PDB file of all heavy atoms in Angstrom:
ATOM      1  N   PHE A 105      57.122 122.322 114.685  1.00  0.00           N
ATOM      2  CA  PHE A 105      57.721 121.376 115.630  1.00  0.00           C
ATOM      3  C   PHE A 105      56.954 121.535 116.976  1.00  0.00           C
ATOM      4  O   PHE A 105      57.176 122.491 117.721  1.00  0.00           O
ATOM      5  CB  PHE A 105      59.183 121.698 115.831  1.00  0.00           C
ATOM      6  CG  PHE A 105      60.004 121.637 114.596  1.00  0.00           C
ATOM      7  CD1 PHE A 105      61.215 122.344 114.495  1.00  0.00           C
ATOM      8  CD2 PHE A 105      59.598 120.900 113.503  1.00  0.00           C
ATOM      9  CE1 PHE A 105      61.965 122.305 113.351  1.00  0.00           C
ATOM     10  CE2 PHE A 105      60.321 120.855 112.316  1.00  0.00           C
ATOM     11  CZ  PHE A 105      61.546 121.561 112.234  1.00  0.00           C
ATOM     12  N   VAL A 187      56.651 105.589 113.188  1.00  0.00           N
ATOM     13  CA  VAL A 187      57.011 106.724 112.297  1.00  0.00           C
ATOM     14  C   VAL A 187      58.506 106.897 112.301  1.00  0.00           C
ATOM     15  O   VAL A 187      59.126 107.055 111.245  1.00  0.00           O
ATOM     16  CB  VAL A 187      56.299 108.005 112.826  1.00  0.00           C
ATOM     17  CG1 VAL A 187      56.914 109.258 112.136  1.00  0.00           C
ATOM     18  CG2 VAL A 187      54.812 107.960 112.524  1.00  0.00           C
ATOM     19  N   VAL A 191      60.995 106.652 109.088  1.00  0.00           N
ATOM     20  CA  VAL A 191      61.861 107.729 108.722  1.00  0.00           C
ATOM     21  C   VAL A 191      63.333 107.228 108.650  1.00  0.00           C
ATOM     22  O   VAL A 191      64.076 107.550 107.740  1.00  0.00           O
ATOM     23  CB  VAL A 191      61.753 108.943 109.674  1.00  0.00           C
ATOM     24  CG1 VAL A 191      62.793 109.987 109.347  1.00  0.00           C
ATOM     25  CG2 VAL A 191      60.358 109.564 109.586  1.00  0.00           C
ATOM     26  N   VAL A 195      65.974 107.224 105.525  1.00  0.00           N
ATOM     27  CA  VAL A 195      67.249 107.914 105.571  1.00  0.00           C
ATOM     28  C   VAL A 195      68.394 106.918 105.341  1.00  0.00           C
ATOM     29  O   VAL A 195      69.363 107.191 104.676  1.00  0.00           O
ATOM     30  CB  VAL A 195      67.449 108.623 106.962  1.00  0.00           C
ATOM     31  CG1 VAL A 195      68.889 109.103 107.084  1.00  0.00           C
ATOM     32  CG2 VAL A 195      66.482 109.798 107.050  1.00  0.00           C
ATOM     33  N   GLU A 204      61.082 113.462  98.015  1.00  0.00           N
ATOM     34  CA  GLU A 204      61.560 114.633  97.306  1.00  0.00           C
ATOM     35  C   GLU A 204      63.073 114.613  97.179  1.00  0.00           C
ATOM     36  O   GLU A 204      63.814 114.216  98.088  1.00  0.00           O
ATOM     37  CB  GLU A 204      61.085 115.867  98.026  1.00  0.00           C
ATOM     38  CG  GLU A 204      61.475 115.959  99.480  1.00  0.00           C
ATOM     39  CD  GLU A 204      60.922 117.186 100.177  1.00  0.00           C
ATOM     40  OE1 GLU A 204      61.205 118.314  99.693  1.00  0.00           O
ATOM     41  OE2 GLU A 204      60.184 117.027 101.162  1.00  0.00           O
ATOM     42  N   TYR A 209      67.106 119.737 101.867  1.00  0.00           N
ATOM     43  CA  TYR A 209      66.275 118.929 102.723  1.00  0.00           C
ATOM     44  C   TYR A 209      67.047 117.677 103.218  1.00  0.00           C
ATOM     45  O   TYR A 209      66.967 117.313 104.413  1.00  0.00           O
ATOM     46  CB  TYR A 209      64.985 118.496 102.016  1.00  0.00           C
ATOM     47  CG  TYR A 209      64.025 117.714 102.856  1.00  0.00           C
ATOM     48  CD1 TYR A 209      63.689 118.084 104.149  1.00  0.00           C
ATOM     49  CD2 TYR A 209      63.468 116.516 102.344  1.00  0.00           C
ATOM     50  CE1 TYR A 209      62.779 117.338 104.882  1.00  0.00           C
ATOM     51  CE2 TYR A 209      62.563 115.782 103.097  1.00  0.00           C
ATOM     52  CZ  TYR A 209      62.257 116.201 104.324  1.00  0.00           C
ATOM     53  OH  TYR A 209      61.359 115.467 105.096  1.00  0.00           O
ATOM     54  N   LEU A 212      69.306 118.763 105.876  1.00  0.00           N
ATOM     55  CA  LEU A 212      68.581 118.958 107.138  1.00  0.00           C
ATOM     56  C   LEU A 212      68.345 117.630 107.794  1.00  0.00           C
ATOM     57  O   LEU A 212      68.589 117.493 109.046  1.00  0.00           O
ATOM     58  CB  LEU A 212      67.261 119.653 106.830  1.00  0.00           C
ATOM     59  CG  LEU A 212      66.264 119.717 108.018  1.00  0.00           C
ATOM     60  CD1 LEU A 212      66.807 120.541 109.168  1.00  0.00           C
ATOM     61  CD2 LEU A 212      64.930 120.254 107.561  1.00  0.00           C
ATOM     62  N   LYS A 213      67.876 116.649 107.096  1.00  0.00           N
ATOM     63  CA  LYS A 213      67.630 115.342 107.712  1.00  0.00           C
ATOM     64  C   LYS A 213      68.895 114.738 108.292  1.00  0.00           C
ATOM     65  O   LYS A 213      68.883 114.192 109.409  1.00  0.00           O
ATOM     66  CB  LYS A 213      67.036 114.361 106.658  1.00  0.00           C
ATOM     67  CG  LYS A 213      65.592 114.699 106.264  1.00  0.00           C
ATOM     68  CD  LYS A 213      64.924 113.520 105.548  1.00  0.00           C
ATOM     69  CE  LYS A 213      65.517 113.324 104.210  1.00  0.00           C
ATOM     70  NZ  LYS A 213      64.763 112.290 103.462  1.00  0.00           N
ATOM     71  N   HIS A 214      69.991 114.860 107.565  1.00  0.00           N
ATOM     72  CA  HIS A 214      71.279 114.343 108.057  1.00  0.00           C
ATOM     73  C   HIS A 214      71.678 115.031 109.341  1.00  0.00           C
ATOM     74  O   HIS A 214      72.081 114.395 110.324  1.00  0.00           O
ATOM     75  CB  HIS A 214      72.359 114.495 106.990  1.00  0.00           C
ATOM     76  CG  HIS A 214      73.711 114.018 107.433  1.00  0.00           C
ATOM     77  ND1 HIS A 214      74.027 112.665 107.500  1.00  0.00           N
ATOM     78  CD2 HIS A 214      74.833 114.692 107.862  1.00  0.00           C
ATOM     79  CE1 HIS A 214      75.254 112.537 107.925  1.00  0.00           C
ATOM     80  NE2 HIS A 214      75.759 113.725 108.186  1.00  0.00           N
ATOM     81  N   ILE A 216      69.689 116.501 111.534  1.00  0.00           N
ATOM     82  CA  ILE A 216      68.785 116.145 112.652  1.00  0.00           C
ATOM     83  C   ILE A 216      69.151 114.757 113.221  1.00  0.00           C
ATOM     84  O   ILE A 216      69.232 114.584 114.439  1.00  0.00           O
ATOM     85  CB  ILE A 216      67.321 116.139 112.158  1.00  0.00           C
ATOM     86  CG1 ILE A 216      66.858 117.546 111.873  1.00  0.00           C
ATOM     87  CG2 ILE A 216      66.414 115.507 113.205  1.00  0.00           C
ATOM     88  CD1 ILE A 216      66.929 118.497 113.055  1.00  0.00           C
ATOM     89  N   PHE A 217      69.471 113.807 112.359  1.00  0.00           N
ATOM     90  CA  PHE A 217      69.829 112.479 112.875  1.00  0.00           C
ATOM     91  C   PHE A 217      71.189 112.505 113.551  1.00  0.00           C
ATOM     92  O   PHE A 217      71.373 111.836 114.589  1.00  0.00           O
ATOM     93  CB  PHE A 217      69.820 111.472 111.726  1.00  0.00           C
ATOM     94  CG  PHE A 217      68.465 110.901 111.418  1.00  0.00           C
ATOM     95  CD1 PHE A 217      67.528 111.655 110.695  1.00  0.00           C
ATOM     96  CD2 PHE A 217      68.041 109.668 111.858  1.00  0.00           C
ATOM     97  CE1 PHE A 217      66.261 111.179 110.402  1.00  0.00           C
ATOM     98  CE2 PHE A 217      66.787 109.168 111.599  1.00  0.00           C
ATOM     99  CZ  PHE A 217      65.898 109.927 110.864  1.00  0.00           C
ATOM    100  N   VAL A 302      64.283 116.756 119.284  1.00  0.00           N
ATOM    101  CA  VAL A 302      64.754 116.242 117.980  1.00  0.00           C
ATOM    102  C   VAL A 302      63.804 115.140 117.485  1.00  0.00           C
ATOM    103  O   VAL A 302      63.510 115.053 116.293  1.00  0.00           O
ATOM    104  CB  VAL A 302      66.222 115.761 118.049  1.00  0.00           C
ATOM    105  CG1 VAL A 302      66.602 115.031 116.750  1.00  0.00           C
ATOM    106  CG2 VAL A 302      67.133 116.955 118.327  1.00  0.00           C
ATOM    107  N   SER A 304      60.668 115.053 118.058  1.00  0.00           N
ATOM    108  CA  SER A 304      59.494 115.776 117.569  1.00  0.00           C
ATOM    109  C   SER A 304      59.722 116.300 116.158  1.00  0.00           C
ATOM    110  O   SER A 304      58.827 116.282 115.312  1.00  0.00           O
ATOM    111  CB  SER A 304      59.141 116.920 118.501  1.00  0.00           C
ATOM    112  OG  SER A 304      58.683 116.472 119.714  1.00  0.00           O
ATOM    113  N   ILE A 305      60.977 116.745 115.915  1.00  0.00           N
ATOM    114  CA  ILE A 305      61.295 117.239 114.564  1.00  0.00           C
ATOM    115  C   ILE A 305      61.213 116.046 113.565  1.00  0.00           C
ATOM    116  O   ILE A 305      60.725 116.219 112.429  1.00  0.00           O
ATOM    117  CB  ILE A 305      62.666 117.870 114.550  1.00  0.00           C
ATOM    118  CG1 ILE A 305      62.716 119.140 115.418  1.00  0.00           C
ATOM    119  CG2 ILE A 305      63.108 118.205 113.123  1.00  0.00           C
ATOM    120  CD1 ILE A 305      64.048 119.755 115.570  1.00  0.00           C
ATOM    121  N   LYS A 306      61.659 114.925 113.990  1.00  0.00           N
ATOM    122  CA  LYS A 306      61.602 113.721 113.120  1.00  0.00           C
ATOM    123  C   LYS A 306      60.167 113.371 112.780  1.00  0.00           C
ATOM    124  O   LYS A 306      59.905 112.901 111.694  1.00  0.00           O
ATOM    125  CB  LYS A 306      62.350 112.574 113.778  1.00  0.00           C
ATOM    126  CG  LYS A 306      63.855 112.763 113.816  1.00  0.00           C
ATOM    127  CD  LYS A 306      64.565 111.726 114.679  1.00  0.00           C
ATOM    128  CE  LYS A 306      64.457 110.340 114.183  1.00  0.00           C
ATOM    129  NZ  LYS A 306      65.199 109.373 115.032  1.00  0.00           N
ATOM    130  N   ALA A 307      59.279 113.540 113.775  1.00  0.00           N
ATOM    131  CA  ALA A 307      57.879 113.270 113.506  1.00  0.00           C
ATOM    132  C   ALA A 307      57.346 114.242 112.454  1.00  0.00           C
ATOM    133  O   ALA A 307      56.533 113.845 111.593  1.00  0.00           O
ATOM    134  CB  ALA A 307      57.066 113.397 114.798  1.00  0.00           C
ATOM    135  N   THR A 308      57.777 115.491 112.506  1.00  0.00           N
ATOM    136  CA  THR A 308      57.382 116.457 111.496  1.00  0.00           C
ATOM    137  C   THR A 308      57.962 116.122 110.114  1.00  0.00           C
ATOM    138  O   THR A 308      57.345 116.325 109.086  1.00  0.00           O
ATOM    139  CB  THR A 308      57.830 117.878 111.917  1.00  0.00           C
ATOM    140  OG1 THR A 308      57.291 118.182 113.192  1.00  0.00           O
ATOM    141  CG2 THR A 308      57.256 118.941 110.936  1.00  0.00           C
ATOM    142  N   ILE A 309      59.198 115.628 110.107  1.00  0.00           N
ATOM    143  CA  ILE A 309      59.828 115.181 108.860  1.00  0.00           C
ATOM    144  C   ILE A 309      58.986 114.036 108.241  1.00  0.00           C
ATOM    145  O   ILE A 309      58.765 114.006 107.026  1.00  0.00           O
ATOM    146  CB  ILE A 309      61.257 114.677 109.128  1.00  0.00           C
ATOM    147  CG1 ILE A 309      62.187 115.864 109.392  1.00  0.00           C
ATOM    148  CG2 ILE A 309      61.825 113.832 107.946  1.00  0.00           C
ATOM    149  CD1 ILE A 309      63.619 115.483 109.804  1.00  0.00           C
ATOM    150  N   ALA A 310      58.496 113.133 109.086  1.00  0.00           N
ATOM    151  CA  ALA A 310      57.638 112.060 108.600  1.00  0.00           C
ATOM    152  C   ALA A 310      56.342 112.636 107.994  1.00  0.00           C
ATOM    153  O   ALA A 310      55.844 112.151 106.975  1.00  0.00           O
ATOM    154  CB  ALA A 310      57.330 111.092 109.729  1.00  0.00           C
ATOM    155  N   GLU A 311      55.780 113.676 108.680  1.00  0.00           N
ATOM    156  CA  GLU A 311      54.589 114.299 108.138  1.00  0.00           C
ATOM    157  C   GLU A 311      54.828 114.919 106.785  1.00  0.00           C
ATOM    158  O   GLU A 311      54.026 114.877 105.868  1.00  0.00           O
ATOM    159  CB  GLU A 311      54.055 115.367 109.125  1.00  0.00           C
ATOM    160  CG  GLU A 311      53.501 114.784 110.398  1.00  0.00           C
ATOM    161  CD  GLU A 311      52.199 114.013 110.156  1.00  0.00           C
ATOM    162  OE1 GLU A 311      51.360 114.492 109.371  1.00  0.00           O
ATOM    163  OE2 GLU A 311      52.029 112.928 110.721  1.00  0.00           O
ATOM    164  N   ARG A 312      55.991 115.550 106.622  1.00  0.00           N
ATOM    165  CA  ARG A 312      56.372 116.180 105.347  1.00  0.00           C
ATOM    166  C   ARG A 312      56.500 115.076 104.280  1.00  0.00           C
ATOM    167  O   ARG A 312      56.087 115.298 103.121  1.00  0.00           O
ATOM    168  CB  ARG A 312      57.693 116.932 105.495  1.00  0.00           C
ATOM    169  CG  ARG A 312      58.247 117.449 104.221  1.00  0.00           C
ATOM    170  CD  ARG A 312      59.374 118.425 104.448  1.00  0.00           C
ATOM    171  NE  ARG A 312      60.080 118.787 103.211  1.00  0.00           N
ATOM    172  CZ  ARG A 312      60.906 119.832 103.110  1.00  0.00           C
ATOM    173  NH1 ARG A 312      61.094 120.652 104.138  1.00  0.00           N
ATOM    174  NH2 ARG A 312      61.531 120.055 101.949  1.00  0.00           N
ATOM    175  N   ALA A 313      57.109 113.973 104.632  1.00  0.00           N
ATOM    176  CA  ALA A 313      57.281 112.860 103.658  1.00  0.00           C
ATOM    177  C   ALA A 313      55.914 112.379 103.261  1.00  0.00           C
ATOM    178  O   ALA A 313      55.651 112.058 102.045  1.00  0.00           O
ATOM    179  CB  ALA A 313      58.087 111.752 104.252  1.00  0.00           C
ATOM    180  N   ASN A 314      54.982 112.222 104.189  1.00  0.00           N
ATOM    181  CA  ASN A 314      53.609 111.738 103.874  1.00  0.00           C
ATOM    182  C   ASN A 314      52.914 112.750 102.927  1.00  0.00           C
ATOM    183  O   ASN A 314      52.218 112.356 101.980  1.00  0.00           O
ATOM    184  CB  ASN A 314      52.785 111.614 105.160  1.00  0.00           C
ATOM    185  CG  ASN A 314      53.254 110.395 105.961  1.00  0.00           C
ATOM    186  OD1 ASN A 314      53.831 109.435 105.449  1.00  0.00           O
ATOM    187  ND2 ASN A 314      52.972 110.426 107.267  1.00  0.00           N
ATOM    188  N   ALA A 315      53.077 114.057 103.249  1.00  0.00           N
ATOM    189  CA  ALA A 315      52.452 115.095 102.403  1.00  0.00           C
ATOM    190  C   ALA A 315      53.024 115.063 100.949  1.00  0.00           C
ATOM    191  O   ALA A 315      52.277 115.231  99.996  1.00  0.00           O
ATOM    192  CB  ALA A 315      52.662 116.473 103.029  1.00  0.00           C
ATOM    193  N   ILE A 368      53.859 123.066 104.672  1.00  0.00           N
ATOM    194  CA  ILE A 368      54.731 122.298 105.578  1.00  0.00           C
ATOM    195  C   ILE A 368      56.171 122.664 105.299  1.00  0.00           C
ATOM    196  O   ILE A 368      56.966 122.861 106.222  1.00  0.00           O
ATOM    197  CB  ILE A 368      54.503 120.810 105.466  1.00  0.00           C
ATOM    198  CG1 ILE A 368      53.124 120.408 106.025  1.00  0.00           C
ATOM    199  CG2 ILE A 368      55.617 120.008 106.156  1.00  0.00           C
ATOM    200  CD1 ILE A 368      52.769 118.962 105.848  1.00  0.00           C
ATOM    201  N   MET A 372      58.505 124.435 108.071  1.00  0.00           N
ATOM    202  CA  MET A 372      59.676 123.713 108.528  1.00  0.00           C
ATOM    203  C   MET A 372      60.930 124.634 108.386  1.00  0.00           C
ATOM    204  O   MET A 372      61.825 124.579 109.255  1.00  0.00           O
ATOM    205  CB  MET A 372      59.909 122.426 107.789  1.00  0.00           C
ATOM    206  CG  MET A 372      59.013 121.288 108.317  1.00  0.00           C
ATOM    207  SD  MET A 372      59.468 119.704 107.623  1.00  0.00           S
ATOM    208  CE  MET A 372      61.110 119.422 108.371  1.00  0.00           C
TER     209      MET A 372
END
Side-chain angles (χ1 to χ4, degrees):
F105 303 156
V187 167
V191 174
V195 172
E204 55 184 303
Y209 182 48
L212 169 63
K213 288 195 292 185
H214 179 75
I216 291 301
F217 277 78
V302 171
S304 292
I305 296 175
K306 288 168 67 178
T308 305
I309 288 174
E311 290 293 317
R312 173 168 170 163
N314 289 336
I368 290 175
M372 279 191 68

